């Protein structure tokens, strides 16, 4: 397949370039399917008080909007894929600006991924810029993708779940129970667990920020996504764990063919000054698949 660098992008080329595909294939032993700020598109949400709700389901659903109003946060991410006795882990982190609705993550990848070393991602509502993603992109350049070009909506395909999407998924919580009180790094938190629906999370989020959640809702095999969330007294999200499952063998529902992906996000330093910007236009490359007939 020939690839040239132009102003158009092919979904097939983009799918082939995604970071996690090789690691997931190695993990499963087979090929298969694999935002804006935490506040989402503000126009699509009714204001909620910056206070932890007494009702667990309400508290969890409100977390994305309340966290978004903090202005900024430092994110740490960890993503683990498992299939049978095979496992791969990614870790990373970086700042997220909820006012400008843009974040930057640097992700360390494990052996077997489509690239080595560090992948840099700049995420915005419905868009992700990738550097060193394993695509056929010149060194130092970036590839720009619409999350709808990725089967999972960029929820896991690039080794991390961006902070806005991880929080936005909680808007789709369908049931939640309070586990108890915990203190993390000196901060008293409420711990919740339950299940969420990504399609309903997309509906509740709205706008471009919903695109990734909507794509993911059609890709993952288990529709009731298990989650855990840790919230402070203001209702802000400090930690979220979400578990996604897909068929490592296309069309299979057999347990041995399923791949489980656990995404963990930790947020801290709310309101700290952050500086994140899109890559310079001259450094952004978009790819076109030239294998189709003229």
């Amino acid at each position: 397949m020939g690839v040239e660098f132009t102003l158009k992008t092919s979904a097939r080329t983009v799918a082939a370039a995604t970071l996690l595909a090789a690691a997931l294939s190695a993990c499963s032993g087979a090929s298969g399917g694999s935002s804006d700020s935490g506040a989402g598109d503000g126009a699509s949400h009714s204001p909620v008080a910056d206070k932890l709700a007494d009702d667990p389901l309400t508290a969890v659903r409100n977390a994305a909007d309340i966290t978004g109003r903090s202005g900024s946060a430092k994110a740490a991410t960890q993503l683990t894929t498992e299939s049978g006795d095979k496992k791969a882990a990614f870790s990373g982190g970086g700042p997220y600006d909820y006012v400008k609705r843009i974040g930057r993550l640097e992700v360390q990848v494990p052996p077997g991924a489509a690239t080595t070393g560090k992948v840099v991602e700049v995420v915005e509502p419905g868009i992700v810029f990738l550097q060193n993603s394993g695509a056929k992109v010149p060194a130092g350049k970036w590839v720009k993708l619409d999350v709808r070009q990725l089967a999972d909506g960029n929820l896991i395909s690039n080794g991390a779940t961006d902070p806005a999407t991880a929080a936005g998924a909680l808007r789709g919580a369908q049931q939640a129970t309070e586990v108890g009180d915990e203190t993390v790094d000196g901060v008293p938190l409420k711990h919740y667990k339950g299940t969420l629906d990504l399609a309903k999370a997309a509906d509740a989020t709205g706008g471009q920020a919903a695109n990734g959640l909507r794509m993911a809702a059609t890709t993952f095999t288990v529709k009731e996504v298990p989650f855990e969330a840790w919230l402070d007294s203001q209702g802000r999200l400090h930690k979220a764990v979400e578990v996604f499952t897909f068929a490592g063998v296309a069309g299979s529902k057999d347990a041995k063919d399923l791949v489980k992906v656990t995404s963990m996000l930790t947020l801290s330093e709310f309101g700290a000054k952050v500086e994140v910007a899109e890559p310079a236009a001259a450094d952004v490359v978009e790819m076109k698949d030239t294998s189709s007939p003229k």
Side-chain angles (χ1 to χ4, degrees):
M1 176 178 68
V3 176
E4 65 181 17
F5 301 100
T6 72
L7 296 179
K8 299 294 182 181
T9 304
S10 153
R12 278 191 294 168
T13 301
V14 167
T18 54
L19 166 67
L20 196 54
L24 292 180
S25 178
C27 187
S28 65
S31 62
S34 19
S35 184
D36 79 338
S37 76
D41 289 343
S44 65
H45 306 289
S46 300
V48 294
D50 290 352
K51 182 178 183 299
L52 185 67
D54 293 331
D55 172 57
L57 189 58
T58 302
V60 170
R61 287 177 173 175
N62 287 350
D65 291 328
I66 292 175
T67 304
R69 286 196 288 275
S70 66
S72 65
K74 179 180 178 181
T77 68
Q78 184 171 326
L79 191 145
T80 304
T81 70
E82 298 177 80
S83 180
D85 61 353
K86 297 179 181 178
K87 197 172 191 177
F90 301 74
S91 62
Y96 197 94
D97 186 329
Y98 292 112
V99 177
K100 296 180 179 179
R101 302 192 297 175
I102 186 170
R104 178 185 174 99
L105 298 173
E106 295 187 358
V107 180
Q108 295 294 329
V109 302
T115 188
T116 58
K118 179 177 65 179
V119 173
V120 183
E121 306 177 27
V122 172
V123 292
E124 296 183 77
I127 297 171
V128 58
F129 295 87
L130 295 170
Q131 189 179 64
N132 190 32
S133 64
K136 295 180 180 179
V137 178
K141 299 295 185 180
W142 299 75
V143 61
K144 177 182 178 182
L145 309 177
D146 184 312
V147 298
R148 290 172 294 184
Q149 295 169 284
L150 304 171
D152 72 323
N154 197 41
L155 205 62
I156 64 168
S157 60
N158 290 301
T161 304
D162 79 74
T165 304
L170 296 176
R171 294 193 183 101
Q174 298 303 293
Q175 63 91 13
T177 58
E178 183 180 321
V179 177
D181 297 312
E182 298 179 18
T183 299
V184 179
D185 294 331
V187 181
L189 303 175
K190 288 282 187 185
H191 180 189
Y192 302 91
K193 68 187 304 183
T195 58
L196 61 86
D197 183 307
L198 291 169
K200 292 181 178 178
D203 292 340
T205 296
Q208 283 187 295
N211 291 344
L213 292 166
R214 209 174 302 284
M215 288 294 296
T218 65
T219 296
F220 294 116
T221 305
V222 176
K223 303 305 179 183
E224 294 183 350
V225 175
F227 76 85
E228 294 184 69
W230 287 258
L231 311 180
D232 66 17
S233 60
Q234 291 180 234
R236 296 178 302 189
L237 180 66
H238 282 246
K239 181 179 176 181
V241 176
E242 296 159 351
V243 182
F244 309 105
T245 304
F246 68 91
V249 177
S252 174
K253 295 183 179 180
D254 194 318
K256 69 178 178 60
D257 295 327
L258 297 182
V259 179
K260 181 175 78 171
V261 182
T262 302
S263 171
M264 182 172 71
L265 168 73
T266 304
L267 297 175
S268 62
E269 299 182 26
F270 296 104
K273 183 179 179 180
V274 301
E275 294 185 6
V276 184
E278 285 188 1
D283 292 330
V284 177
V285 166
E286 298 191 25
M287 297 183 297
K288 179 181 178 181
D289 184 348
T290 59
S291 62
S292 56
K294 298 290 184 181

